[in-house]
Amino acid sequence: MSEYRRLYVPGSTVFLTVVTYQRVPLFVNPENVHYLRRSLKTMQATMPFEFVAGVVMPEHLHFLWTMPDGDADYSKRIGRMKVLFTQALRGADYFPEAISRSRQKHRESDVWQRRFWEHTIRDEADFQRRCDYLHANPVKHGLAQCPHEWELSSFHRWVQQGKYPADWGCRCGDQAGRSTIGTN
């Protein structure tokens, strides 16, 4: 069996990637995006952290979170978010009936991949690379021509805060993008 080791540094900023089971595009459904936002806010209320940046893709999520001083448990937060989201889907009659024995044994549904990917930010250059990657991800996957065209991104909030110019990564000349995930 593989041994997964994660770096847990209290107060650190971590880049996280969470993927749906078999890359099912759950987040093309606006109701599922609503469930995700509600799950994140509920989890964040009991397990605080700073939501630095995020993007919701059809079948995966990228986040930058800063953990509180003295706390490094992003794994617990990801697990709680997955549970809350899965429970919301179950209430919406989405939960699949056929679950493999392995997933039953681990008390898992067919909503999320078992693991997630993390990277602890090392310095300011690393932080900027991860922000750029996250915000350019919809363009990379051919879902938008420019970062501002993707509604489910913190890019719009970063532009409002002056952290990116409105035309960052833009090829179309129209900076009319708006809503973000993770805004309060």
Side-chain angles (χ1 to χ4, degrees):
M1 178 179 276
S2 298
E3 243 186 80
Y4 293 93
R5 294 181 185 207
R6 299 194 186 277
L7 179 61
Y8 293 99
V9 179
S12 65
T13 299
V14 291
F15 179 85
L16 302 157
T17 301
V18 186
V19 182
T20 63
Y21 182 67
Q22 297 183 341
R23 291 200 172 262
V24 172
L26 293 176
F27 302 111
V28 297
N29 180 340
E31 188 173 11
N32 292 345
V33 174
H34 169 75
Y35 292 150
L36 176 65
R37 284 182 168 143
R38 191 173 67 196
S39 299
L40 280 165
K41 286 182 181 185
T42 300
M43 179 269 299
Q44 192 176 24
T46 59
M47 294 182 250
F49 66 94
E50 180 188 352
F51 188 103
V52 178
V55 65
V56 177
M57 304 294 286
E59 80 299 339
H60 70 281
L61 315 167
H62 293 297
F63 298 126
L64 269 168
W65 292 352
T66 299
M67 298 293 103
D69 290 338
D71 186 350
D73 203 348
Y74 52 82
S75 290
K76 189 175 189 179
R77 288 166 173 85
I78 290 290
R80 184 68 180 143
M81 178 199 73
K82 285 179 172 183
V83 165
L84 291 167
F85 179 80
T86 301
Q87 289 172 346
L89 282 181
R90 197 175 281 144
D93 296 328
Y94 176 83
F95 199 74
E97 294 178 15
I99 299 173
S100 72
R101 286 185 185 187
S102 173
R103 293 186 82 76
Q104 287 176 14
K105 176 183 170 188
H106 290 96
R107 297 177 20 190
E108 297 171 331
S109 69
D110 286 353
V111 176
W112 298 105
Q113 281 189 7
R114 186 170 287 165
R115 308 252 182 239
F116 64 92
W117 189 84
E118 54 77 25
H119 169 78
T120 300
I121 301 299
R122 295 182 299 268
D123 56 28
E124 189 60 38
D126 188 24
F127 177 83
Q128 192 59 54
R129 276 191 306 275
R130 301 301 168 168
C131 284
D132 292 350
Y133 177 86
L134 180 151
H135 291 125
N137 208 245
V139 176
K140 174 187 170 193
H141 287 277
L143 299 169
Q145 185 179 2
C146 307
H148 71 83
E149 292 178 342
W150 193 251
E151 294 293 322
L152 302 175
S153 170
S154 60
F155 176 76
H156 312 284
R157 180 173 43 114
W158 279 58
V159 168
Q160 289 172 347
Q161 295 172 352
K163 296 177 182 176
Y164 277 115
D167 62 352
W168 182 85
C170 188
R171 297 180 186 142
C172 71
D174 173 22
Q175 298 89 34
R178 283 188 289 290
S179 73
T180 64
I181 186 165
T183 57
N184 296 335

